[in-house]
Amino acid sequence: MISPATNERTGAHAARREAAGPSRPGRLLVAALVVAAALAPFVLNEFKVGLIALSLAYGLFAIGLDLAWGRAGIISIGHAVFFGLGVYGVAIALNGGGSALLGAAAGVALAATLGAALAAAGLRRAANPSTMAVLTLAVTLLAEKIARSWWSVTGGSTGIFVAPLASTDVYYWFCLAATVVVAGALWLFALRRPFGARLVAIRLNSQRAEHLGVPVHRERVVAFALSAALSALAGCVAAPLMSSVSPDRVGVVLSTQVLVWTAIGGKATMLGPILGAVAATYGQDALATRLGDSYLLLLGVLFIGSVLLFPAGVAGPFHSGPLVVDSGANAGPAPRRQPAAGDALLCQAIVKRFSGNVVLDGVDLRVGAGEIVCLIGPNGAGKSTLLGILSGAVAADAGAVALAGRRIEAEPPHARVAAGLARTFQVPSLFPGLSVGEHLILARQEAGGRVTLPEAYARLEREQRERRVEDLSLSDRRSLEIAMALCSSPTTLLLDEPAAGLARAEANRLAATLRALRDELGCAIVCVEHDMEIVRDLADRIVCLHRGRIISEGSMDAVSADPEVRRAYLGMA
Amino acid sequence: MSAYFQILCDFVWVATTLALVAFSLGLILGELKIVNVAQGDLMMVGAYSMYVLRDLPFPLALLLTFVVGLVLGLALERGVLRWVYDKGFMTTLLASWGVGMVLEQAAAAIFSVSQKGLDPPLAGQIVVGAFAYPTYRIAVSVGVVVLLAALLALVYRTSVGLRLRASIDNVQMAALMGVSPQRTFALVFAVATALAVLAGALVAPTLAITPTMGLSYLAPSFFAVMIARQGSLAGPIAGAIAVEFVFTVLQAYLNVTLAESILFGLLALFIAIKPQGVSWSWKKAGKETQ
Amino acid sequence: MSKDGFGAYGPLVSRRGFARGAANLALGVAGASALGGFAGRAQAAPFKGSRPYKIGFVAPLSGPVAPEGLAMQRGFDLGVEAINAVGGIAGQPVEIVRQDDQAVPAVAGTVIKKFIQQDNVDMIVGTITSDEETVAGQISAAYNVPVMFLEAGFWMPFCTSSCVLLGETSYSLLSELVPFMAEKYGKKFVLIGSDFEFPHQYLGVGKGFIAKAGATVTDEIYAPLGTADWSSSIAKIKAAAPDVILSAVVGGDAIAFVKQAKSFGLLPGAHLTGITLQPEFYPPMGDAVDGLFVVTRYSEEIKTAGNATFVAAYKKKYGEGPIPLVGVTASYALNFAKAAVEKAGTYDRKAVFEALHGARATTPLSDAPLTLNASNLSIDYPMYICQIQSGGLFKIVKELGVVPAGLKSC
């Protein structure tokens, strides 16, 4: 399944491995590693201890990057800027005789601010993956130039000499503790919570996440800013280990290296980035002495090989189990929604142009509370565009939209969901690799609690909870979409060709289910449909669109007899 | 007056070679949806190829180098990139980074890291009154302009170009129309590689030839591609001209480091404000479906 | 510490040398007796060490200045062969550990720490750029491990407990060059350099001498490392119409600059000088630089017995081609180490460092041994003004005698 817009394509089985936490053997492994690491100073010489300490700091840096890349799916090929801000913050502070803590705080704050600014600019709706890539690349190149030229502050290309803050062994334990504590805190307080679940949703299918009510852009900015802060923190820890803080620590080479460590170690795992960083830093030193000049060539070949053959990285196999777990925060009932007073949905004078082509030319639509309206019309009439404008995925050029009396045309999709609008898509927009149960957990999380689902959907959840969406039939996938939509107690449901691709019997069942839904829940339904039998069964009122205008409204008989409608469907005959 | 001619000619020289590299990068990005960070290293291959063939007449060496580029592109596409198309944006980026690294190290291993040099086939200058400018640069600038014009004509006026643009726009649709994706990818990548190799070959006589010589072209060509609409083929050329124009103006008044820093800053700002790039086409676009 | 006296790196060194054939070995011995023998003979009762003297060699073998690092390593290897052929230091063969610092200060720091903390070296030799030298110096000073720098131009901003400079300084490179050029060609100077610390410092020193010679600086141009297009800088130079161009453009950029200066008609013709003109750059730069003058402390033409054997040994081992200056320096660095260790009578690092003050050793550069100044651990070298000949030979046109390095006393 290919997720649209700014997400990476994620193979279903790869998603399986990027779990929210390690399995049992994984946890034991982590514990064993921490214990072994704590004993290192008793076994290894001072240099090696210092090297491992530095690589742990790099591991923390890689975890910071992984939060943005592995978890939130944001591309950054300039993450060393944030790391470098932490490093330089501490180095400049110490060099000037100030407090290292103050320098660290300044570095982290600056990094978080810069990260938020970059994400806010680079992850907007109009952007594609390359935008963030080039933006972060530009920033890292700029940072390196500034670091190199601004001698008075950064020491230029020579850099700043940082004296060690404590004995090597003591600082090593500090690094180990910092890595474990920070990584653990991240896992417990961010990734295991709704925030982490939202990131999974955003990464797998940001469009569906947004239409569940997740404020996608805001969460991405937060994730990126947090990632930047973590990377800067890692830099602060690393500074006293480096001896010399030079401009290459903010540049594109280190930015690429941390991507490599994370990729090889295993994205979206806690252990993977650390393993990758330690193996690379330690291994590079070992290889450099053994192989001399050709180790870089070997590294390049190794890297290509691992990217091709082991996309999940080294730690991948240790992670299994569900991606999304119920944090238990949403066990109670969802907050009640006020029943709609007046019209469920109203839009006036909607105009939409695409590059000079007018797709919607002054559309007025009124949907009463609890009314089922079917939108019909030949291809290219603008039906899907209208749905997009109603749900917020597309911005109208002119016109107003009101939901239960409240103007929403300026609001993003997730706000409209919160206001009571829900939508399904022509091709069911679901989260690849997740199970039915996980989908519903996410939907309930955004709704803030549980609602009682109608029997048809409750049965789907009961019987197919563990099944992944790839293994569901088309009609079950559509049902899941509707079930998720229902979790938010919508006052208005937008359905885009819900019967497309269904067999006759399934389609009829769907129509019956939808009518029952409306009777039970009182929500209005706007349904784009081509299948006239379904339309006849389902609709209270039919609206026919043609070339961006409504040419007919009314009952099935009235509309089907309208000569304008016939002309639209059949041509001038 | 002569100073302005100088600036103009410098601008044309850099902008044309940059446009060639940006075009090849845009070709790869549009067709294969890959950000090829090894493009600079491909230029390096072209430079070294000319160095190896330096005893042959220049046009012959250039032709052979172009062929080397085609072969290399084909090998890379079939050998490495083919396996990463479906693995996501970052994987392809990292794979191409690995390729670049291997190319650099191979060059260092074969030729050692010491700088090599090549003499331009046309020494001397063209003199117009008080103004003199190297003949080689003018010849290459003119040649590249002709080449770019031919490429644009190929893309926008021939059926081959039409198939290419269809494939860029919608691979699956074009496949249904008979344009084989695999062959198109391989062919496009081979040609794009050969163009980058050619660009490197053309600048080689003016620089030191080292394994890392391509890196200074990477960022500007990326920016040129990014400020154009993705999938556009004329866009990167216009983008290169725009980027180089701004840089030339900045350089004329400020020192180079400051000029570069401001350029990067401006580009970052531009991309932040207009991420979908600028549509350089003045034709009215056709109907777009939601 | 290994038990067999060679360690993991020793065999690498000696195998490489021996693999080239017995003839080389014989030549090496002959050369060594000229290079290393004098230092040994000066001792009364030679001190004998209990274990091999261990030296850490750090150089950029990848990255932008890798050619220099490679040249330094080649010269150093020759020097090691020579020293070991006459019994090594304190009667023990010299053991070398080596690593690439990639011309990145952070990596250099790691390498130095590794040499000191893990490999327990007695002395460190090497690296090229001032950035790595600074880091190496600061760390070595913290651990009191003597470190010998071989590259030119570095003006040490600190007197430390460990740093020794065997290269020449910006002072000695410019003190005679500037008045020579001003007198010969005129008083209008234009300065151009790569935009990082060392060229700024070098040209800063140059400005002092320019003022002293009563000349003026019409323009000062800097371009960042990796600049591909020098046309705007060349245009600025032409606009200034200088008598002399003092250039601190380094590395691959130097070659690009010269080639483009040639294509714009600036060279040949303009009077360019400075650290841009290195012998090993001649092949790619070509005839554009024929006839230009430089100040240097080495030319293949220097007529000493030591130089004759050195040049022969170098060309035999590494083929024809210009001999980079840093390679020459690397070849005799160990002579000073030997002199100091044997004078100190111990491997103790502090004692050896003390003994380096005023240490004397033979070099290919002169018949008489040269002295490491006791006051500031640099060498006042005999310098020459050379003119570049067609084909790349740096021909001595004027002997300047001993030129002070110009560092202040510690």
Side-chain angles (χ1 to χ4, degrees):
Chain A
M1 225 183 260
I2 295 178
S3 34
T6 51
N7 287 344
E8 277 186 32
R9 298 178 210 175
T10 316
H13 67 273
R16 183 81 296 165
R17 295 208 206 124
E18 297 159 11
S23 55
R24 195 84 191 291
R27 275 177 237 236
L28 288 176
L29 180 67
V30 171
L33 283 176
V34 173
V35 169
L39 296 174
F42 303 115
V43 177
L44 299 173
N45 67 49
E46 187 186 3
F47 171 71
K48 287 207 163 51
V49 170
L51 193 61
I52 299 181
L54 184 61
S55 51
L56 283 175
Y58 282 135
L60 200 55
F61 175 29
I63 286 184
L65 172 75
D66 186 55
L67 176 61
W69 180 29
R71 310 265 180 193
I74 304 173
I75 308 241
S76 170
I77 51 180
H79 235 65
V81 177
F82 307 122
F83 180 77
L85 279 172
V87 176
Y88 270 106
V90 168
I92 292 174
L94 285 176
N95 203 30
S99 138
L101 236 65
L102 219 58
V108 172
L110 215 61
T113 315
L114 180 62
L118 280 177
L123 293 173
R124 289 178 306 152
R125 190 177 301 280
N128 54 55
S130 334
T131 307
M132 205 54 191
V134 177
L135 207 53
T136 49
L137 177 66
V139 168
T140 195
L141 289 172
L142 191 59
E144 191 169 1
K145 279 203 191 302
I146 293 176
R148 212 171 281 276
S149 314
W150 201 10
W151 307 331
S152 46
V153 171
T154 64
S157 58
T158 313
I160 303 175
F161 179 69
V162 184
L165 288 178
S167 83
T168 310
D169 289 350
V170 169
Y171 203 80
Y172 169 78
W173 281 313
F174 168 66
C175 280
L176 185 61
T179 307
V180 170
V181 165
V182 173
L186 177 68
W187 188 48
L188 279 175
F189 299 119
L191 297 174
R192 271 291 195 188
R193 301 301 232 60
F195 177 67
R198 280 177 164 184
L199 289 184
V200 172
I202 293 174
R203 185 176 91 239
L204 291 177
N205 187 341
S206 64
Q207 180 194 58
R208 171 40 66 193
E210 180 131 46
H211 283 91
L212 273 186
V214 176
V216 169
H217 187 62
R218 194 190 79 197
E219 297 297 80
R220 278 197 175 128
V221 172
V222 168
F224 200 74
L226 187 59
S227 155
L230 281 174
S231 306
L233 192 62
C236 298
V237 170
L241 291 164
M242 278 189 186
S243 315
S244 172
V245 170
S246 47
D248 57 281
R249 298 295 97 184
V250 294
V252 67
V253 174
L254 184 58
S255 298
T256 322
Q257 279 178 328
V258 68
L259 286 170
V260 173
W261 303 335
T262 310
I264 293 187
K267 277 167 35 189
T269 65
M270 288 316 278
L271 202 54
I274 300 182
L275 282 182
V278 171
T281 312
Y282 200 81
Q284 186 170 323
D285 186 73
L287 276 180
T289 42
R290 302 269 176 279
L291 296 178
D293 317 343
S294 43
Y295 80 95
L296 277 177
L297 179 59
L298 184 63
L299 210 61
V301 171
L302 269 179
F303 177 61
I304 297 182
S306 67
V307 160
L308 294 182
L309 300 171
F310 304 110
V314 167
F318 290 102
H319 285 241
S320 57
L323 252 70
V324 174
V325 288
D326 198 339
S327 63
N330 302 302
R336 306 238 86 231
R337 193 184 293 287
Q338 301 281 40
D343 293 330
L345 189 64
L346 177 68
C347 62
Q348 289 174 322
I350 301 288
V351 175
K352 180 66 188 172
R353 284 179 220 102
F354 282 113
S355 306
N357 206 47
V358 178
V359 176
L360 290 174
D361 193 6
V363 171
D364 298 314
L365 183 65
R366 193 187 69 78
V367 179
E371 188 182 5
I372 300 184
V373 173
C374 277
L375 271 178
I376 64 170
N379 276 324
K383 307 188 294 297
S384 287
T385 310
L386 183 61
L387 271 194
I389 288 176
L390 291 176
S391 75
V394 179
D397 292 324
V401 181
L403 184 69
R406 190 177 121 196
R407 290 280 287 272
I408 57 167
E409 70 267 5
E411 294 192 21
H414 62 85
R416 301 187 196 201
V417 171
L421 189 65
R423 173 187 176 166
T424 67
F425 293 83
Q426 210 166 320
V427 175
S429 180
L430 299 167
F431 300 116
L434 294 191
S435 67
V436 170
E438 288 170 311
H439 277 76
L440 291 170
I441 291 174
L442 286 171
R444 287 183 180 124
Q445 186 178 285
E446 296 312 315
R450 291 177 161 261
V451 295
T452 327
L453 289 174
E455 176 54 24
Y457 304 105
R459 183 151 29 103
L460 177 71
E461 181 182 3
R462 264 198 320 268
E463 290 173 6
Q464 314 241 46
R465 187 192 303 270
E466 300 301 324
R467 188 167 274 194
R468 292 186 327 191
V469 293
E470 287 81 17
D471 303 328
L472 289 178
S473 68
L474 179 62
S475 87
D476 279 342
R477 275 189 236 155
R478 289 191 192 279
S479 299
L480 179 58
E481 254 203 325
I482 295 177
M484 286 204 295
L486 293 177
C487 285
S488 65
S489 311
T491 55
T492 306
L493 202 51
L494 303 176
L495 303 175
D496 199 343
E497 298 195 35
L502 293 185
R504 174 58 32 208
E506 288 177 322
N508 288 339
R509 257 205 306 278
L510 176 67
T513 310
L514 288 174
R515 282 198 86 94
L517 205 62
R518 186 272 306 271
D519 296 336
E520 229 181 283
L521 302 175
C523 58
I525 298 180
V526 178
C527 173
V528 170
E529 200 34 82
H530 280 296
D531 185 337
M532 291 308 158
E533 278 208 38
I534 302 299
V535 171
R536 191 183 291 277
D537 280 344
L538 195 54
D540 293 336
R541 179 160 57 99
I542 294 167
V543 171
C544 181
L545 267 175
H546 179 51
R547 296 223 185 109
R549 291 181 166 195
I550 295 181
I551 55 172
S552 185
E553 260 187 88
S555 72
M556 185 63 178
D557 296 322
V559 170
S560 54
D562 191 332
E564 281 273 346
V565 173
R566 288 174 178 250
R567 237 200 309 274
Y569 270 99
L570 301 173
M572 287 307 282
Chain B
M1 197 53 201
S2 168
Y4 287 115
F5 267 131
Q6 163 95 19
I7 293 177
L8 183 66
C9 289
D10 292 340
F11 164 73
V12 171
W13 159 250
V14 182
T16 45
T17 33
L18 191 64
L20 191 55
V21 179
F23 179 81
S24 67
L25 204 55
L27 201 55
I28 295 176
L29 184 63
E31 176 65 33
L32 287 82
K33 316 283 187 277
I34 288 179
V35 176
N36 189 21
V37 289
Q39 208 74 0
D41 297 311
L42 294 174
M43 287 182 73
M44 176 266 294
V45 170
Y48 271 108
S49 168
M50 291 301 283
Y51 175 75
V52 166
L53 301 169
R54 63 190 177 282
D55 296 321
L56 296 179
F58 192 79
L60 181 61
L62 212 55
L63 188 63
L64 287 175
T65 301
F66 189 78
V67 172
V68 165
L70 285 174
V71 171
L72 180 63
L74 216 58
L76 286 175
E77 199 273 334
R78 292 281 98 192
V80 177
L81 294 177
R82 175 158 65 120
W83 310 105
V84 293
Y85 288 146
D86 58 344
K87 293 210 167 75
F89 179 83
M90 278 310 278
T91 310
T92 55
L93 190 128
L94 292 176
S96 67
W97 181 82
V99 165
M101 199 185 193
V102 169
L103 284 175
E104 280 177 36
Q105 294 310 312
I110 299 174
F111 296 100
S112 100
V113 288
S114 51
Q115 297 96 347
K116 303 278 183 279
L118 198 59
D119 282 326
L122 300 167
Q125 305 157 66
I126 292 184
V127 183
V128 178
F131 176 65
Y133 202 77
T135 318
Y136 180 69
R137 286 194 178 201
I138 298 203
V140 168
S141 301
V142 169
V144 172
V145 167
V146 169
L147 177 63
L148 287 172
L151 286 169
L152 285 177
L154 185 76
V155 166
Y156 286 103
R157 295 252 182 275
T158 67
S159 62
V160 172
L162 186 62
R163 287 207 283 275
L164 174 67
R165 278 181 291 138
S167 189
I168 287 178
D169 211 33
N170 190 333
V171 172
Q172 282 144 342
M173 194 63 171
L176 292 174
M177 302 268 182
V179 182
S180 152
Q182 282 84 354
R183 282 185 59 197
T184 314
F185 288 171
L187 200 61
V188 166
F189 194 79
V191 170
T193 302
L195 288 176
V197 163
L198 186 66
L202 290 172
V203 298
T206 65
L207 301 170
I209 303 177
T210 67
T212 51
M213 64 180 284
L215 294 180
S216 54
Y217 283 88
L218 200 59
S221 49
F222 261 106
F223 294 139
V225 173
M226 282 304 140
I227 66 178
R229 187 177 53 84
Q230 175 169 12
S232 156
L233 290 172
I237 295 178
I241 294 175
V243 167
E244 194 47 43
F245 178 73
V246 173
F247 188 49
T248 306
V249 168
L250 286 172
Q251 250 194 116
Y253 298 108
L254 303 166
N255 77 59
V256 182
T257 315
L258 198 55
E260 273 187 3
S261 307
I262 293 183
L263 182 67
F264 285 152
L266 284 177
L267 285 165
L269 214 62
F270 182 91
I271 291 170
I273 295 174
K274 237 190 181 294
Q276 70 274 37
V278 177
S279 183
W280 299 99
S281 158
W282 55 81
K283 296 190 296 223
K284 226 161 170 229
K287 173 174 167 182
E288 286 187 40
T289 48
Q290 166 72 335
Chain C
M1 251 342 216
S2 55
K3 285 173 277 195
D4 63 0
F6 273 111
Y9 312 97
L12 262 176
V13 175
S14 32
R15 263 192 229 131
R16 243 194 241 166
F18 291 148
R20 306 265 169 162
N24 283 348
L25 179 57
L27 209 53
V29 170
S33 46
L35 289 175
F38 286 135
R41 254 187 253 157
Q43 304 301 317
F47 151 71
K48 187 159 170 70
S50 55
R51 58 162 175 83
Y53 194 69
K54 201 163 180 186
I55 298 189
F57 179 74
V58 55
L61 298 173
S62 54
V65 287
E68 311 294 277
L70 184 66
M72 188 165 71
Q73 177 171 263
R74 286 178 164 179
F76 189 70
D77 287 346
L78 266 186
V80 169
E81 275 176 28
I83 278 273
N84 280 341
V86 285
I89 292 183
Q92 292 276 0
V94 175
E95 187 184 330
I96 312 287
V97 294
R98 64 183 79 222
Q99 194 156 337
D100 175 13
D101 71 9
Q102 300 172 36
V104 171
V107 178
T110 308
V111 172
I112 299 295
K113 274 199 275 198
K114 181 180 192 181
F115 284 170
I116 295 175
Q117 293 171 340
Q118 178 173 282
D119 300 316
N120 296 308
V121 297
D122 300 302
M123 181 181 289
I124 296 174
V125 172
T127 207
I128 292 286
T129 81
S130 51
D131 303 336
E132 285 80 65
E133 283 180 336
T134 308
V135 176
Q138 284 162 331
I139 301 178
S140 307
Y143 288 88
N144 293 310
V145 174
V147 56
M148 283 208 252
F149 295 128
L150 310 177
E151 181 55 276
F154 177 53
W155 184 298
M156 282 189 283
F158 48 83
C159 287
T160 68
S161 58
S162 66
C163 298
V164 171
L165 178 65
L166 292 187
E168 64 272 33
T169 60
S170 302
Y171 188 99
S172 63
L173 285 172
L174 291 165
S175 58
E176 298 290 329
L177 178 66
V178 168
F180 173 80
M181 297 295 281
E183 200 186 301
K184 198 171 171 70
Y185 295 117
K187 303 230 184 256
K188 265 171 63 185
F189 277 69
V190 158
L191 309 180
I192 182 167
S194 298
D195 198 1
F196 66 100
E197 230 168 320
F198 167 58
H200 278 267
Q201 178 234 84
Y202 172 88
L203 292 175
V205 170
K207 278 196 275 199
F209 288 116
I210 289 172
K212 209 158 141 202
T216 52
V217 174
T218 346
D219 205 354
E220 200 173 341
I221 305 164
Y222 291 99
L225 276 176
T227 298
D229 189 50
W230 291 87
S231 33
S232 61
S233 303
I234 292 171
K236 286 183 190 158
I237 295 176
K238 277 178 147 179
D243 300 313
V244 180
I245 308 172
L246 183 61
S247 168
V249 178
V250 299
D253 289 4
I255 296 172
F257 171 58
V258 164
K259 288 175 85 70
Q260 290 174 30
K262 180 178 177 189
S263 72
F264 277 92
L266 186 63
L267 288 174
H271 308 119
L272 175 72
T273 186
I275 49 169
T276 297
L277 302 171
Q278 299 289 330
E280 61 269 27
F281 288 167
Y282 185 84
M285 279 181 181
D287 55 12
V289 297
D290 286 350
L292 296 180
F293 293 95
V294 293
V295 161
T296 179
R297 59 188 164 92
Y298 181 75
S299 158
E300 289 179 37
E301 278 202 321
I302 292 176
K303 302 221 180 336
T304 65
N307 195 29
T309 24
F310 168 74
V311 169
Y314 192 97
K315 287 198 191 281
K316 180 124 196 182
K317 186 160 179 169
Y318 299 117
E320 280 303 318
I323 301 181
L325 178 55
V326 71
V328 181
T329 320
S331 73
Y332 61 76
L334 290 180
N335 297 347
F336 284 95
K338 182 182 170 106
V341 171
E342 294 180 358
K343 181 163 131 204
T346 165
Y347 285 177
D348 175 64
R349 296 152 171 180
K350 276 194 173 143
V352 169
F353 184 66
E354 278 310 307
L356 279 167
H357 291 70
R360 294 157 58 85
T362 335
T363 71
L365 303 181
S366 72
D367 286 316
L370 292 177
T371 317
L372 259 179
N373 293 335
S375 59
N376 54 29
L377 290 169
S378 62
I379 300 181
D380 299 329
Y381 282 104
M383 310 275 275
Y384 310 90
I385 294 186
C386 293
Q387 189 176 31
I388 303 177
Q389 306 297 303
S390 171
L393 178 67
F394 279 44
K395 184 182 170 63
I396 299 175
V397 294
K398 184 172 175 189
E399 291 190 25
L400 297 169
V402 172
V403 176
L407 296 182
K408 34 182 211 285
S409 305
C410 286

